[in-house]
Amino acid sequence: MPNNSPSPADADPMVSAVRKKLNQRLVQVLRATQLALLLTAINTVLIGKIIDTAVLLGTAALLFSVDWAVYKKFHNLGSTILLITLTLMLSYLAWIGSGIRDTSILGYCGILIFAAMLSNKRLLLVVMLLMLSMCALIIYGNISGLHVNTIEPTNIFTGTIVMIILSVIGFSVWLMAHDYRTALDDLVHENSLVHESHLKIEHMAMHDQLTELPNRNMAHIAFTSAYAQAQENGQPLAVIFIDLDNLKPINDSLGHEIGDHILKEVSKRLNAIALKQHIVCRYGGDEFIMILQDIHTSDDASAIAMIILHSISLPFAVKNIEMNCTCSIGIAMAPRDGNDLDTLIKKADIAMYQSKDSGRNSFRFFDVASNHKMFEHLNLTTSMRKALAEKQFVLYYQPKINLHDHSLVGFEALIRWQHPQYGFISPETFISLAESSGVIIQLGEWVINEACRQGKKWLDKGLNNFSIAVNVSSIQFKRGTIDNVIMNALERSGFPPHMLELELTESLLIDDTERLATTLSNLRSMGLHFSIDDFGTGYSNLGYLKKFEVESLKIDQSFVRRMEQNPEDAVIVKAIIQLSNSLGLDTIAEGVETESTADILRGLGCNMAQGYLWSRPLPALETERFWRDWCLLEQT
Ligand code: C2E
Ligand code: CA
Ligand code: CA
């Protein structure tokens, strides 16, 4: 995906903080060295060593060039001047003094410490080699008789020089130890922040925020172990689907606050009815499910359903207003009606509709004979196949914007169904039907082909630097050969693979099979990019992000749209951005509708966004017009 933001190292506040610290250390070491040189020069002048004094003062003066390098932000050049000049000066003093037993050799240790602290490995190596060569030269001079050094007797002046050198070394070691400890503390702190935000996301992904009850994701996990246990004990398992009958009119007339109160109260009542081994979840708006484990017959489920009906029908008192609310219940039994939660819920839902039809405030078991919902389903599925043949589907494109430099980085392709009789049908309605009926395989193939064809057309028209993101369903991975489909689409259209991005769902990646891993790695080796759609609403397992080399996380629009009103959503958004940044991934916020949301996201470190603020999803021609206008605006 093209990313037009400045180089990550420049933009990263951590990197610039480290650079600033290193420069500060360089100046501190420089001052300490200049002071030491001055004090030593006073010493040498007192004992009449005029050459030594001149060398020391000359070096101190030369080191002012390091100040210039720091001012110009040439940190490496500054460190190089400091280290090489000092090494040469000390070597010279040793050469004219007592050879390798000269006190100035002690200063080599200090230089090595400076090098470790301020510079890179290469410079450290150069300095060390220079020192070894100097020592070798002095040793050779002495052994061969070419230049023999004599050892001076120790006096108060040479003693003082040793103490000055030791003090400078001590000072730099102290600085280094301090930096090291601070860096370790920062690391521990950073780690615990990442861990905390992960736990927070994990909890939120498994629980409903309003009622604190487990949500759908958690229900799936809990069901798997409950069902295994029931099978082992030879017992049935019941799934009770509870739908409140009149929450909508309460919400509409008295406001959402009262509605929320009732939902919380209903959760409390359901929790009070449930035994330890039962699982209560909030399934959606005013829908709850209860999974009953450790029951003997369907009569046990009926008994619980009756208790629920009674309990919910008791009046609710909110802000001194007394209200009545009833519910309708549908029940499906495992293994009779199915052995996976989705099937059981679907059937319990159908049974619930039957009890609603028969006058509400009642319960029904799933009954195959009057399963009319299934027919509706079949109808739409058949017309979807026809729609594909008759080209009733179109792709719309929504621009993705780089929040830092305001450039347009690409588009998300979103499908639309223009039905000749029913008019516009939202993908929210037909995608899940296409998935459950398998039509998604052909539909998804069409989407990929169409997106590649359009992408290549734009390239041919001279538009460039963009990516197209396509939504793919987990069914396409499980039942199709999506890698072949994509390869063919790319070949046929000539659209480059690195410009194509796949938006994957967390539920897909959690299904960690060999086949999925092979398919994803095939796609990755072709050059495709991956992002995780609706991050934060699913399982949020960090392991797969690394394993499948995902590039970006998309924050679900539901969080983004509410973040300014609802602090809980703001916390989730912040945690996701923090997590994404710490993993070095891009973050794309969906559903940005106002300038202020964009500002907050930018401030939190989110780098990309899409939403109605910039543009709704548009048909290809309008997208192109929007894009050209955008580029013109950028240039002015
Ligand atoms: P999604 O992938 O989360 O797509 C983002 C949805 O947010 C789109 O809805 C988009 O129109 C909407 N949106 C974008 N910005 C804003 C905003 O500022 N405010 C509001 N209120 N909404 C905004 P859309 O197009 O109705 O798509 C709904 C879902 O249908 C998508 O959610 C995606 O899961 C699915 N979908 C769409 N096209 C495809 C497709 O080609 N294949 C598959 N498998 N699924 C698709
Ligand atoms: Ca998407
Ligand atoms: Ca989304």
Side-chain angles (χ1 to χ4, degrees):
M1 186 192 336
N3 186 348
N4 300 336
S5 54
S7 110
D10 291 339
D12 191 339
M14 290 280 276
V15 174
S16 57
V18 169
R19 280 191 189 151
K20 208 167 145 203
K21 186 95 214 162
L22 277 177
N23 268 339
Q24 188 193 348
R25 289 290 177 250
L26 179 59
V27 173
Q28 285 168 332
V29 166
L30 177 67
R31 292 289 168 263
T33 311
Q34 284 176 317
L35 183 66
L37 290 173
L38 201 65
L39 292 174
T40 318
I42 295 172
N43 243 298
T44 48
V45 83
L46 289 178
I47 47 175
K49 289 186 173 175
I50 300 305
I51 299 180
D52 287 21
T53 312
V55 171
L56 288 165
L57 290 179
T59 311
L62 191 63
L63 289 185
F64 279 111
S65 59
V66 179
D67 278 304
W68 167 83
V70 171
Y71 172 70
K72 288 278 179 193
K73 297 204 168 65
F74 299 147
H75 174 87
N76 281 342
L77 179 66
S79 309
T80 311
I81 299 176
L82 177 70
L83 299 173
I84 302 287
T85 314
L86 285 181
T87 310
L88 291 175
M89 177 207 75
L90 291 175
S91 308
Y92 179 69
L93 291 180
W95 177 262
I96 59 169
S98 311
I100 56 163
R101 278 165 294 179
D102 195 88
T103 42
S104 47
I105 295 289
L106 206 56
Y108 276 3
C109 310
I111 297 176
L112 288 175
I113 291 170
F114 296 168
M117 194 165 108
L118 303 172
S119 70
N120 48 37
K121 265 194 283 184
R122 205 170 341 135
L123 186 54
L124 174 66
L125 202 71
V126 169
V127 169
M128 211 159 73
L129 284 176
L130 186 61
M131 287 176 180
L132 292 175
S133 321
M134 290 302 174
C135 286
L137 190 68
I138 295 173
I139 294 166
Y140 176 74
N142 279 278
I143 293 174
S144 65
L146 281 176
H147 176 88
V148 180
N149 298 99
T150 49
I151 300 176
E152 286 176 53
T154 304
N155 55 36
I156 181 82
F157 297 106
T158 47
T160 313
I161 292 172
V162 169
M163 286 195 287
I164 292 171
I165 294 175
L166 285 180
S167 309
V168 176
I169 296 179
F171 173 64
S172 11
V173 169
W174 181 81
L175 284 182
M176 195 157 90
H178 177 266
D179 289 349
Y180 175 71
R181 230 170 287 126
T182 317
L184 265 187
D185 287 349
D186 287 352
L187 199 68
V188 170
H189 179 66
E190 184 76 9
N191 236 339
S192 70
L193 275 184
V194 170
H195 184 65
E196 249 173 54
S197 43
H198 182 209
L199 285 184
K200 213 180 281 167
I201 293 173
E202 217 166 45
H203 179 84
M204 285 167 170
M206 293 294 168
H207 292 85
D208 169 52
Q209 288 170 53
L210 178 71
T211 60
E212 281 293 317
L213 283 181
N215 62 12
R216 291 172 189 229
N217 300 324
M218 184 79 173
H220 275 88
I221 294 170
F223 174 84
T224 311
S225 65
Y227 188 57
Q229 181 118 42
Q231 291 277 79
E232 210 175 287
N233 300 341
Q235 290 173 328
L237 195 129
V239 172
I240 300 190
F241 195 102
I242 305 148
D243 184 283
L244 300 183
D245 290 328
N246 39 354
L247 191 72
K248 193 173 173 338
I250 293 178
N251 262 338
D252 292 346
S253 55
L254 300 171
H256 281 265
E257 208 184 329
I258 305 282
D260 286 354
H261 254 283
I262 293 187
L263 285 169
K264 282 191 205 164
E265 184 57 31
V266 168
S267 321
K268 275 192 206 143
R269 292 185 191 182
L270 292 178
N271 262 335
I273 297 166
L275 299 177
K276 196 166 77 296
Q277 65 272 33
H278 297 163
I279 303 151
V280 183
C281 310
R282 177 157 178 222
Y283 193 67
D286 56 355
E287 298 163 344
F288 295 83
I289 55 172
M290 208 157 164
I291 300 171
L292 305 186
Q293 200 189 346
D294 208 10
I295 53 171
H296 300 288
T297 62
S298 53
D299 289 348
D300 294 337
S302 312
I304 300 265
M306 275 190 282
I307 299 174
I308 295 174
L309 287 174
H310 171 70
S311 165
I312 302 296
S313 68
L314 295 175
F316 292 87
V318 187
K319 291 190 176 165
N320 294 333
I321 314 172
E322 200 165 271
M323 268 162 298
N324 286 304
C325 185
T326 55
C327 66
S328 301
I329 293 178
I331 308 172
M333 302 291 295
R336 190 190 69 194
D337 300 326
N339 50 17
D340 67 277
L341 187 59
D342 286 334
T343 311
L344 290 164
I345 289 180
K346 210 176 279 168
K347 292 186 173 173
D349 184 23
I350 292 168
M352 185 279 294
Y353 267 101
Q354 289 168 359
S355 65
K356 259 202 204 302
D357 283 348
S358 64
R360 304 181 162 200
N361 197 17
S362 60
F363 74 90
R364 278 286 162 89
F365 279 90
F366 172 74
D367 166 19
V368 192
S370 53
N371 187 356
H372 61 269
K373 257 202 142 188
M374 291 285 185
F375 285 106
E376 266 177 36
H377 178 136
L378 254 179
N379 239 331
L380 209 53
T381 311
T382 325
S383 54
M384 232 184 303
R385 290 188 204 279
K386 208 167 129 221
L388 255 177
E390 293 180 1
K391 302 197 173 21
Q392 292 168 13
F393 292 105
V394 264
L395 275 192
Y396 275 42
Y397 300 87
Q398 187 176 36
K400 288 196 268 182
I401 307 294
N402 181 323
L403 282 175
H404 298 304
D405 64 10
H406 218 237
S407 59
L408 193 157
V409 290
F411 305 91
E412 175 175 5
L414 293 154
I415 195 166
R416 302 287 179 257
W417 183 2
Q418 217 42 68
H419 196 287
Q421 281 135 26
Y422 305 140
F424 175 84
I425 306 179
S426 151
E428 307 269 21
T429 317
F430 67 82
I431 291 290
S432 61
L433 273 182
E435 284 178 333
S436 57
S437 61
V439 178
I440 194 75
I441 306 283
Q442 290 88 6
L443 195 61
E445 185 169 347
W446 176 82
V447 170
I448 292 164
N449 274 300
E450 177 60 18
C452 290
R453 190 194 62 77
Q454 184 60 58
K456 177 68 166 87
K457 197 166 158 189
W458 280 331
L459 274 178
D460 290 343
K461 285 186 170 182
L463 293 157
N464 45 35
N465 278 340
F466 68 96
S467 62
I468 298 187
V470 171
N471 291 283
V472 282
S473 150
S474 56
I475 312 291
Q476 287 171 267
F477 277 87
K478 281 182 198 146
R479 285 203 263 149
T481 46
I482 188 161
D483 38 356
N484 286 335
V485 168
I486 292 178
M487 198 154 55
N488 290 338
L490 290 169
E491 253 173 36
R492 199 172 308 143
S493 63
F495 190 57
H498 70 271
M499 298 178 84
L500 186 63
E501 187 177 319
L502 299 187
E503 295 199 359
L504 313 171
T505 56
E506 290 179 86
S507 54
L508 164 71
L509 298 183
I510 208 77
D511 187 30
D512 189 1
T513 58
E514 194 60 35
R515 178 165 170 199
L516 172 73
T518 320
T519 311
L520 285 175
S521 106
N522 284 346
L523 292 171
R524 168 147 292 282
S525 58
M526 279 158 63
L528 267 80
H529 293 270
F530 302 142
S531 61
I532 305 296
D533 210 355
D534 303 345
F535 190 79
T537 60
Y539 299 85
S540 303
N541 174 340
L542 298 186
Y544 65 67
L545 296 179
K546 288 226 156 65
K547 180 166 174 190
F548 299 122
E549 296 175 57
V550 164
E551 269 97 2
S552 43
L553 301 185
K554 294 193 80 170
I555 313 176
D556 192 42
Q557 44 156 316
S558 58
F559 301 131
V560 177
R561 281 198 347 250
R562 292 184 309 231
M563 65 184 274
E564 283 192 79
Q565 288 82 41
N566 187 348
E568 278 178 359
D569 290 306
V571 169
I572 301 187
V573 170
K574 199 171 161 188
I576 295 177
I577 297 175
Q578 207 169 43
L579 184 74
S580 176
N581 284 348
S582 64
L583 293 171
L585 305 177
D586 283 326
T587 325
I588 308 171
E590 301 178 331
V592 177
E593 293 183 348
T594 62
E595 202 66 69
S596 53
T597 308
D599 286 342
I600 298 174
L601 288 165
R602 194 179 297 115
L604 289 174
C606 175
N607 51 348
M608 277 179 262
Q610 64 188 82
Y612 294 173
L613 170 62
W614 297 284
S615 169
R616 287 176 181 261
L618 301 170
L621 259 180
E622 280 179 49
T623 304
E624 203 179 307
R625 216 170 296 145
F626 172 87
W627 195 355
R628 292 193 192 277
D629 288 348
W630 185 275
C631 293
L632 279 180
L633 258 180
E634 289 277 280
Q635 282 160 13
T636 52

